[in-house]
Amino acid sequence: MRKLLLIVVLTVCTACGGSGGSGGSATKLVFGYKIEPGAGLVGANLSRANLKNAKLEGADLTNANLMTADLRGADLSNAKLTGADLRGADLTDTILNGAYLLDANMEGADLSEAELRGAEFFSTDLTEAKLEGADLRDQMLNGANLTRADLRGADLSNANVALVDLSNANLTGAKLQGTDLGETDLTNANLTRANLSNADMRWTDLSGADLTNADLTGADLTNAILTGANLEGAAMPEGWKR
């Protein structure tokens, strides 16, 4: 009888996986969802979830609810986040290289120090998002909403920012050399000390923008709107007349 009881106990403990040693599963469960590379999390409700340092590279989070989730240090490289709700999410130090963020709602999200190389932000809502110092070189941001976004010191060199709403955004000291800003809305934006050299700014709306000490040498300002813009100390294109 004692032998039978011992066998039953050992069987139950083996099924549980135990808490010590290396017998436990590497897969993390959050709200009943498996958090692992390549996870299928389409439509998952992970609002307010603690996903700090989670390994979700290549995961499918299409239309997932990640509102105010803690994703600090998580690896979401090449993840699909199309239509995902990331409002107020903390994405500090998160790896988003190659991630698909088409039509994602990232209003108020904190992307400070996040890795964003090759990420796709087409039609992404980044209203009031924190992107200070972000590396957005060569990125495609067409149709994105960056109203009131914090882009201080961000690098958008050679990025495609055409038709983007950057009204009231803070771009102090931002690098925008060679950037396509055609028909972009920069009304009331803060572009103090921004580098806009050789930028394409045709039909760009800069009404009320602060361009104090900005570098616009070589920029194409054909049909740009500069009504009420502050150009004090700005370096303008050769032969430019207001």
Side-chain angles (χ1 to χ4, degrees):
M1 182 69 177
R2 254 184 275 173
K3 186 185 287 187
L4 178 61
L5 181 61
L6 181 60
I7 292 171
V8 171
V9 171
L10 285 171
T11 302
V12 171
C13 287
T14 302
C16 291
S19 58
S22 58
S25 172
T27 300
K28 179 180 179 182
L29 283 176
V30 176
F31 299 164
Y33 297 105
K34 288 184 177 180
I35 306 301
E36 59 187 0
L41 295 163
V42 176
N45 186 0
L46 290 161
S47 176
R48 298 185 298 279
N50 182 359
L51 296 165
K52 188 177 179 181
N53 298 318
K55 303 299 181 185
L56 284 162
E57 51 266 48
D60 191 348
L61 287 146
T62 302
N63 296 321
N65 183 356
L66 290 154
M67 271 186 68
T68 65
D70 185 352
L71 285 151
R72 288 175 294 169
D75 189 347
L76 287 156
S77 52
N78 300 308
K80 295 178 182 177
L81 289 149
T82 302
D85 189 345
L86 287 147
R87 285 176 292 171
D90 191 344
L91 293 144
T92 306
D93 293 315
T94 300
I95 302 171
L96 285 158
N97 297 329
Y100 298 91
L101 292 149
L102 286 69
D103 295 313
N105 190 342
M106 303 183 81
E107 182 178 348
D110 190 345
L111 290 135
S112 303
E113 306 302 325
E115 294 184 28
L116 304 164
R117 297 294 291 167
E120 294 190 21
F121 289 96
F122 186 78
S123 295
T124 305
D125 189 350
L126 288 154
T127 303
E128 297 183 343
K130 296 177 183 177
L131 287 151
E132 185 177 358
D135 184 355
L136 292 161
R137 288 173 294 170
D138 307 306
Q139 297 289 69
M140 297 285 289
L141 290 159
N142 306 68
N145 186 350
L146 284 150
T147 305
R148 298 184 298 281
D150 184 354
L151 286 151
R152 287 174 293 170
D155 191 345
L156 292 117
S157 305
N158 300 306
N160 191 329
V161 194
L163 302 171
V164 171
D165 188 348
L166 278 159
S167 57
N168 296 287
N170 191 344
L171 289 145
T172 302
K175 299 174 183 176
L176 294 147
Q177 56 264 45
T179 302
D180 185 354
L181 291 158
E183 299 184 61
T184 295
D185 186 353
L186 281 161
T187 55
N188 301 309
N190 188 345
L191 288 151
T192 304
R193 300 189 308 279
N195 186 345
L196 291 149
S197 57
N198 301 308
D200 183 351
M201 303 177 76
R202 289 172 293 175
W203 298 100
T204 300
D205 192 347
L206 290 152
S207 302
D210 189 351
L211 289 149
T212 303
N213 296 320
D215 184 357
L216 290 111
T217 54
D220 188 345
L221 289 162
T222 304
N223 295 313
I225 304 169
L226 288 150
T227 307
N230 185 354
L231 297 169
E232 185 178 354
M236 303 304 292
E238 188 177 350
W240 184 85
K241 290 182 181 180
R242 188 161 186 173

